[in-house]
């Protein structure tokens, strides 16, 4: 295992008099006592100097790693800021060598044990306990549904409710705590890279959480909690070691990860890769479609099932997917990012039948989830685009209003979102709307809001007066003043459609 200057610094912290680390990575392969006259200096080594033999700056290459025992004469740190340098005092050169040897030996031995476990042993508990020993911080591993796969058995995070809950199993038994705790697994998965270090909103203690990835797909989470100095971020060397642990597990995740939220069907990984855009070549997609029993001539819909309750067990997802595939003939389900995606073949129908939608609605209601249905598509190359629209629509769905939602209900708001990403709102104001807004700002009036409600109510004085709690005659007077300001153009059908679009755009964005 390569070490870093931060790890060396941690091992000799009480003796450090001066220190500066300009480029801190896990890059140290070895160490050596500097011998006078040596000129082949390597940045992958740690060089231990006696103060009397310390070199002038011009003889030391950039990013060299130096541990100096004693303070050299006329030493000025500003002359060595291009180095990774630690200057110690009140300790002998022999003691410095012993500590350095012990540090390299300790981490190399632990690393060797860890790699053996990663390559040969599927026991999560052994893996987490050894990682805890390396980091000297308590660790845990969870699946994507907050079920505890392993947790440090010899070290605890004191006064941390989340840690105590995880020791009891976490999961549905602690739903209330899970639902309010941050960070959310679904949010971490979307980060690039999928890792975060923040204070817990429950305990206030710092924690760091990273996703474990099988390819591009998150399959579990590994978390590190503070055991002391709770309210400050983790030290650099601890973060480096944590990242080392995560990197090595990720490199070998297929060798030991056996709790994936799927059912072992061949098509599941294919659908995951296609939906995520990892598989995008049309010929390759069609070749796999034929092998997996899909018909190239069929039309399809894709559905997304999301749960109104935030925490669902993996086996429950599988139960839902199995049932959906029985309700909808020849459909295929897959689990991705805490949602279920359904591929629905359409044979004679142009859309999912009312009869099946009714069955689905009852089932969804019983299981506290809802479904969004895409428009019809013919090529699986469309799946990443459809997923992108799903991700957008989920933010606008009134989850408790009904059980099934359709793309066409959100076309206008989605088009507005695309428009907002391309053009600044300042450039999209309709001149009639801008005229009212300018007037309101100048005269402290409220003509725009009145006009907006009036237009949306199809120019009905009766309905608008009720909505505004305004006498009908007062409303007429106000509308007359607005018409004097705008003229009669707004009464033309095409202008009214423009105004309705712009008003909704302003409300949403």
């Amino acid at each position: 295992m390569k070490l870093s200057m931060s790890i060396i610094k941690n091992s000799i912290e009480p003796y450090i008099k001066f220190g500066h680390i300009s480029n801190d990575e896990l890059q140290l392969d070895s160490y050596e006592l500097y011998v006078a006259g040596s000129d082949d200096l390597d940045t992958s080594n740690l060089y231990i100097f006696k103060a009397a033999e310390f070199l002038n700056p011009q003889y030391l290459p950039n990013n060299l790693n130096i541990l100096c025992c004693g303070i050299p004469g006329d030493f000025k740190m500003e002359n060595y800021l291009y180095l990774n340098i630690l200057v110690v005092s009140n300790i002998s050169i022999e003691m410095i060598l012993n500590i350095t040897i012990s540090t390299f030996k300790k981490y190399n031995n632990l690393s060797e044990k860890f790699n053996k476990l990663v390559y040969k042993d599927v026991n999560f508990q052994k893996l987490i306990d050894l990682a805890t020993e390396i980091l000297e911080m308590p660790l845990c591993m969870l699946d994507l549904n907050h079920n505890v796969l392993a947790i440090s058995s010899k070290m605890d995070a004191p006064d941390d409710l989340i840690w105590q809950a995880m020791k009891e199993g976490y999961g549905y038994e602690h739903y209330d705590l899970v639902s309010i705790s941050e960070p959310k697994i679904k949010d971490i998965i979307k980060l690039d890279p999928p890792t975060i270090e923040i204070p817990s909103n429950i305990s206030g203690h710092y924690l760091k959480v990273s996703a474990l990835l099988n390819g591009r797909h998150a399959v579990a989470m590994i978390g590190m909690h503070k055991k002391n100095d709770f309210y400050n971020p983790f030290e650099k060397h601890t973060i480096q070691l944590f990242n080392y642990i995560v990197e090595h597990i990720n490199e070998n995740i297929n060798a030991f990860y056996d709790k994936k939220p799927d059912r072992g069907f061949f098509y599941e990984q294919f659908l995951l890769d296609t939906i995520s855009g990892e598989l995008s070549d049309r010929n390759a997609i069609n070749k796999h479609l034929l092998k997996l029993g899909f018909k190239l001539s069929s039309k399809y819909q894709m559905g997304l099932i999301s749960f109104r309750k935030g925490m669902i067990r993996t086996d429950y997802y599988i139960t839902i997917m199995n049932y959906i595939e029985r309700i909808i003939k020849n459909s295929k389900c897959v689990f991705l990012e805490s949602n279920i995606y359904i591929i629905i073949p359409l044979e004679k129908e142009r859309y999912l039948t009312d009869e099946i939608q009714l069955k689905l609605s009852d089932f969804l209601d019983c299981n506290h989830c809802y479904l969004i249905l895409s428009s019809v598509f013919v090529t699986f190359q469309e799946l990443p685009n459809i997923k992108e629209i799903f991700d957008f629509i989920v933010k606008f769905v009134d989850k408790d209003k009904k059980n099934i939602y359709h793309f066409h209900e959100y076309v206008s708001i989605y088009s507005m979102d695309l428009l907002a990403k391309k053009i600044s709102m300042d450039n999209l104001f309709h001149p009639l709307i801008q005229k009212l807004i300018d007037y309101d700002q100048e005269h402290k009036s409220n003509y725009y809001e009145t006009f907006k409600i009036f237009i949306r109510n199809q120019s009905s004085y009766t309905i608008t007066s009720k909505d505004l709690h305004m006498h009908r005659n007062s409303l007429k007077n106000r509308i007359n003043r607005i018409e004097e300001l705008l003229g009669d153009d707004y009464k033309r059908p095409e202008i009214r459609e423009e105004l309705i679009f712009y008003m909704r755009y302003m409300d949403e964005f």
Side-chain angles (χ1 to χ4, degrees):
M1 175 183 178
K2 294 179 184 289
L3 301 190
S4 71
M5 284 299 284
S6 286
I7 294 174
I8 301 298
K9 177 183 176 183
N10 182 64
S11 68
I12 57 172
E13 188 75 50
Y15 307 104
I16 294 175
K17 187 68 175 180
F18 303 104
H20 176 76
I21 301 175
S22 63
N23 181 26
D24 194 26
E25 298 176 355
L26 294 173
Q27 62 183 6
L28 298 178
D29 286 319
S30 59
Y31 56 90
E32 61 182 80
L33 183 64
Y34 176 77
V35 177
S38 298
D39 55 2
D40 188 17
L41 301 177
D42 187 350
T43 55
S44 66
N45 277 356
L46 171 65
Y47 294 95
I48 302 173
F49 281 79
K50 297 177 182 177
E53 297 176 350
F54 195 61
L55 300 177
N56 290 326
Q58 63 265 32
Y59 300 115
L60 299 170
N62 287 349
N63 298 320
L64 197 67
N65 303 289
I66 292 174
L67 177 53
C68 184
C69 187
I71 304 173
D74 299 323
F75 178 82
K76 294 181 180 179
M77 178 58 78
E78 58 264 29
N79 294 330
Y80 297 91
L81 297 181
Y82 63 96
L83 301 174
N84 301 320
I85 181 170
L86 301 173
V87 179
V88 297
S89 62
N90 299 321
I91 184 171
S92 67
I93 189 73
E94 292 80 8
M95 283 295 296
I96 282 293
L97 278 169
N98 286 339
I99 293 173
T100 302
I101 292 168
S102 296
T103 302
F104 272 84
K105 184 177 180 180
K106 168 188 173 182
Y107 285 108
N108 283 329
N109 287 342
L110 290 172
S111 176
E112 184 176 348
K113 290 180 183 178
F114 184 78
N115 285 328
K116 284 182 179 178
L117 283 182
V118 168
Y119 286 113
K120 297 181 180 179
D121 200 321
V122 299
N123 188 303
F124 291 150
Q125 190 59 54
K126 289 182 180 178
L127 201 66
I128 288 298
D129 280 341
L130 184 56
T132 297
E133 187 177 350
I134 294 172
L135 290 166
E136 300 179 340
M137 291 286 174
L139 290 163
C140 62
M141 187 185 293
L142 309 177
D143 69 16
L144 299 186
N145 300 307
H146 298 87
N147 300 306
V148 177
L149 303 176
I151 189 168
S152 299
S153 63
K154 299 179 180 179
M155 187 179 295
D156 283 336
D159 303 318
D160 190 330
L161 287 176
I162 295 177
W163 185 265
Q164 294 306 315
M166 287 191 293
K167 289 190 71 174
E168 296 170 12
Y170 218 29
Y172 68 90
E173 285 120 346
H174 295 89
Y175 173 76
D176 291 337
L177 187 60
V178 174
S179 64
I180 63 172
S181 66
E182 299 287 351
K184 302 293 185 189
I185 286 179
K186 62 182 179 63
D187 296 327
I188 298 172
I189 290 171
K190 294 177 181 177
L191 299 175
D192 186 18
T195 185
I196 191 170
E197 178 187 357
I198 61 171
S200 163
N201 66 319
I202 305 297
S203 66
H205 301 182
Y206 261 85
L207 52 84
K208 184 171 177 62
V209 184
S210 291
L212 298 175
L213 303 176
N214 182 2
R216 292 177 55 185
H217 311 300
V219 293
M221 311 299 293
I222 185 167
M224 174 172 64
H225 291 239
K226 270 297 192 79
K227 70 170 184 178
N228 50 32
D229 194 21
F230 303 122
Y231 305 108
N232 290 312
F234 292 94
E235 292 184 352
K236 183 66 177 288
H237 76 280
T238 303
I239 295 296
Q240 290 172 331
L241 292 169
F242 178 83
N243 291 341
Y244 168 85
I245 296 293
V246 173
E247 179 182 347
H248 278 258
I249 294 177
N250 273 330
E251 286 176 355
N252 303 280
I253 194 86
N254 289 324
F256 64 86
Y257 192 79
D258 62 352
K259 294 183 179 295
K260 301 175 185 176
D262 60 37
R263 298 157 294 162
F265 296 150
F266 284 114
Y267 65 77
E268 290 188 320
Q269 189 62 50
F270 163 73
L271 289 179
L272 288 172
D273 290 343
T274 309
I275 291 170
S276 66
E278 189 170 331
L279 181 62
S280 58
D281 180 77
R282 183 166 188 166
N283 291 331
I285 289 174
N286 288 343
K287 180 180 71 174
H288 291 300
L289 285 171
L290 290 172
K291 286 183 178 180
L292 297 170
F294 295 90
K295 295 181 180 179
L296 298 184
S297 58
S298 292
K299 293 181 174 63
Y300 293 89
Q301 282 181 269
M302 184 156 77
L304 176 142
I305 289 181
S306 188
F307 291 83
R308 293 187 170 98
K309 293 184 177 179
M311 192 222 58
I312 304 295
R313 289 179 62 91
T314 297
D315 55 357
Y316 193 59
Y317 279 103
I318 293 174
T319 300
I320 296 287
M321 291 191 284
N322 290 340
Y323 189 81
I324 292 294
E325 290 177 352
R326 289 199 296 270
I327 293 178
I328 307 175
K329 183 181 177 182
N330 297 323
S331 65
K332 303 284 193 293
C333 293
V334 68
F335 174 91
L336 177 63
E337 295 174 358
S338 300
N339 295 311
I340 294 172
Y341 288 81
I342 318 161
I343 302 296
I344 304 166
L346 303 171
E347 296 178 356
K348 297 180 181 179
E349 300 291 336
R350 286 285 302 165
Y351 208 66
L352 198 61
T353 66
D354 292 341
E355 179 183 0
I356 292 179
Q357 288 195 50
L358 183 61
K359 286 183 180 178
L360 275 174
S361 182
D362 291 341
F363 175 75
L364 295 165
D365 192 51
C366 291
N367 290 278
H368 309 291
C369 47
Y370 62 92
L371 167 69
I372 303 173
L373 282 171
S374 78
S375 52
V376 177
F377 62 92
V378 294
T379 170
F380 277 50
Q381 284 180 300
E382 290 294 319
L383 297 189
N385 295 331
I386 294 172
K387 180 185 180 298
E388 182 180 326
I389 301 174
F390 278 140
D391 292 341
F392 174 82
I393 289 176
V394 164
K395 297 182 290 187
F396 290 88
V397 164
D398 183 351
K399 298 177 183 179
D400 299 318
K401 186 176 181 181
K402 54 184 180 178
N403 298 320
I404 299 179
Y405 302 83
H406 305 271
F407 263 23
H408 60 76
E409 300 173 60
Y410 298 91
V411 167
S412 61
I413 191 67
Y414 183 60
S415 64
M416 290 178 188
D417 180 66
L418 294 177
L419 184 63
K421 291 175 181 176
K422 294 290 185 181
I423 304 175
S424 168
M425 181 183 288
D426 294 339
N427 298 323
L428 288 176
F429 278 130
H430 194 285
L432 295 182
I433 293 175
Q434 187 64 57
K435 189 178 289 188
L436 283 178
I437 291 174
D438 291 344
Y439 185 89
D440 284 343
Q441 290 177 348
E442 182 178 352
H443 296 87
K444 309 299 182 186
S445 55
N446 199 24
Y447 282 5
Y448 170 68
E449 290 298 323
T450 301
F451 183 66
K452 179 174 69 175
I453 296 170
F454 182 66
I455 289 293
R456 288 180 178 173
N457 287 334
Q458 300 181 344
S459 301
S460 168
Y461 285 98
T462 301
I463 298 174
T464 305
S465 62
K466 288 181 179 178
D467 287 347
L468 294 174
H469 306 289
M470 181 184 294
H471 193 276
R472 182 184 176 92
N473 290 338
S474 298
L475 175 63
K476 281 187 173 182
N477 290 334
R478 182 175 292 187
I479 296 299
N480 287 339
R481 292 195 295 273
I482 290 172
E483 288 179 346
E484 290 174 3
L485 184 63
L486 300 184
D488 291 334
D489 275 354
Y490 83 88
K491 296 179 180 179
R492 289 160 46 199
E494 66 272 19
I495 299 298
R496 291 173 67 90
E497 289 180 7
E498 293 174 10
L499 292 173
I500 289 172
F501 175 86
Y502 280 97
M503 289 172 177
R504 186 177 181 194
Y505 177 84
M506 290 173 62
D507 284 349
E508 298 290 351
F509 297 95

